[in-house]
Amino acid sequence: MSSLPSTSAARASSVARRAGAAVATAAVALGLAIVPGVATAGPQAADVAPPAPPRGAIAVVEGTTQFTVTPQALKRLQQHDLRLVRLDAKGQTREAVPAGVPLRLDVTSGVVTNVDGRIGGRVLYEDRGLAVVNTKTRQVARLAEFESDLTRNAVLATVNQSDTIAIGRAPSQRITRETLNVADRQVRLTAPVRLSARAAERLNRTTGTDAFERGEILARVTSQFNLDEEQDVRDALGLDKDFNTVEKSQSTRQEAQERPGRAVDEMATEENLRKAFPNAAG
């Protein structure tokens, strides 16, 4: 298929925006709060409370995020003669996006922060994206330069190489053993992304339809971020030294309680040890 139009001015703007994002990432690494202008712009800004200052930060060295557009969203687009098409790094249109097959984006840089016990930070991805094509009028909305603003729970992207908007928002996620694995040095997130009001208005205007509705679940997102091996995860994020370890021991205790025979055997063993070594510490 043909390449979508691009200009040198747009590329220059992209470079400048990426540089700004890098500065924001560095600021977070120094313990400063992320307050990106692109995430606060638009009529829905008043609905988003300012994030709490982060307690700590750690760099993301690699990882992936997979966006799986829901069957319901795809059906709605088809009813309005719209088609989702993959874009490569050069902005060329590729194959259509089939239902259930995720768009995978690889991480280029980022940082994860602890914001009042919740996952925060910012992650940048490789230059790939999606195009929403009106097959009747040939109007195109090109979504590229994706970012995850974890602090504000927003997925950001540029539209037709111009302004950056919050395409959708996901639920806030606490730092738990499900979202942060200290031993594997990984952050794992899974959440639905609901279309923002500004994105719905912009996509409808750009494609010449009314296919997009505020608040609908556009996609389900699964992310895995690998953290810097040079930093201690607990220290970097300001976590208790027993984080994950305590929860793991609690799970083991619960498992033993669910299997009475094993629990009794373990208690008997501990009692025998105390009798054999009465003066032993602990």
Side-chain angles (χ1 to χ4, degrees):
M1 299 179 68
S2 61
S3 171
L4 295 179
S6 62
T7 64
S8 58
R11 286 194 296 271
S13 175
S14 171
V15 171
R17 193 186 64 79
R18 288 281 175 174
V23 172
T25 298
V28 175
L30 293 174
L32 303 177
I34 302 178
V35 189
V38 294
T40 58
Q44 75 275 31
D47 299 333
V48 182
R55 290 172 54 188
I58 187 169
V60 175
V61 294
E62 62 181 0
T64 60
T65 290
Q66 298 189 76
F67 297 86
T68 304
V69 180
T70 65
Q72 294 82 358
L74 282 175
K75 183 178 181 180
R76 178 187 291 275
L77 298 183
Q78 292 170 358
Q79 291 172 343
H80 289 78
D81 301 305
L82 298 178
R83 183 171 64 167
L84 286 179
V85 180
R86 298 178 190 271
L87 299 175
D88 64 14
K90 296 181 180 179
Q92 293 181 324
T93 56
R94 296 300 185 188
E95 72 277 6
V97 178
V101 177
L103 169 70
R104 169 175 166 157
L105 296 178
D106 291 328
V107 173
T108 58
S109 63
V111 65
V112 167
T113 65
N114 176 355
V115 183
D116 194 26
R118 298 182 180 274
I119 297 289
R122 189 171 187 140
V123 177
L124 308 183
Y125 301 100
E126 61 185 347
D127 287 331
R128 295 184 183 178
L130 292 170
V132 185
V133 181
N134 187 323
T135 58
K136 284 192 172 181
T137 66
R138 309 307 298 173
Q139 292 170 276
V140 178
R142 179 185 185 277
L143 306 177
E145 300 180 48
F146 279 82
E147 304 176 17
S148 288
D149 185 338
L150 303 174
T151 301
R152 294 184 180 274
N153 312 307
V155 176
L156 311 177
T158 59
V159 181
N160 287 353
Q161 299 179 324
S162 57
D163 54 326
T164 299
I165 65 175
I167 298 299
R169 300 188 182 278
S172 175
Q173 299 199 48
R174 296 197 63 82
I175 299 177
T176 66
R177 64 174 179 169
E178 283 75 27
T179 58
L180 174 62
N181 187 313
V182 171
D184 293 341
R185 312 182 69 82
Q186 287 182 343
V187 171
R188 300 167 185 168
L189 306 174
T190 301
V193 174
R194 295 185 180 274
L195 196 64
S196 70
R198 187 182 179 194
E201 185 279 328
R202 178 64 186 274
L203 291 174
N204 283 333
R205 175 161 46 89
T206 305
T207 60
T209 69
D210 59 356
F212 297 93
E213 295 184 357
R214 172 185 181 179
E216 72 170 319
I217 297 178
L218 183 65
R220 296 193 179 276
V221 178
T222 302
S223 298
Q224 177 176 301
F225 305 136
N226 298 331
L227 305 177
D228 183 9
E229 295 185 358
E230 299 299 322
Q231 295 179 269
D232 182 280
V233 176
R234 295 185 185 89
D235 287 346
L237 294 178
L239 301 173
D240 185 274
K241 66 178 182 179
D242 292 327
F243 178 81
N244 271 6
T245 305
V246 170
E247 294 190 13
K248 182 176 181 181
S249 65
Q250 290 174 343
S251 298
T252 303
R253 189 180 305 116
Q254 181 178 357
E255 180 182 350
Q257 290 173 348
E258 292 172 353
R259 291 192 283 174
R262 178 180 174 183
V264 170
D265 290 343
E266 289 177 350
M267 292 174 61
T269 300
E270 292 178 1
E271 185 176 354
N272 289 337
L273 286 173
R274 284 196 296 269
K275 289 179 179 179
F277 303 99
N279 297 322

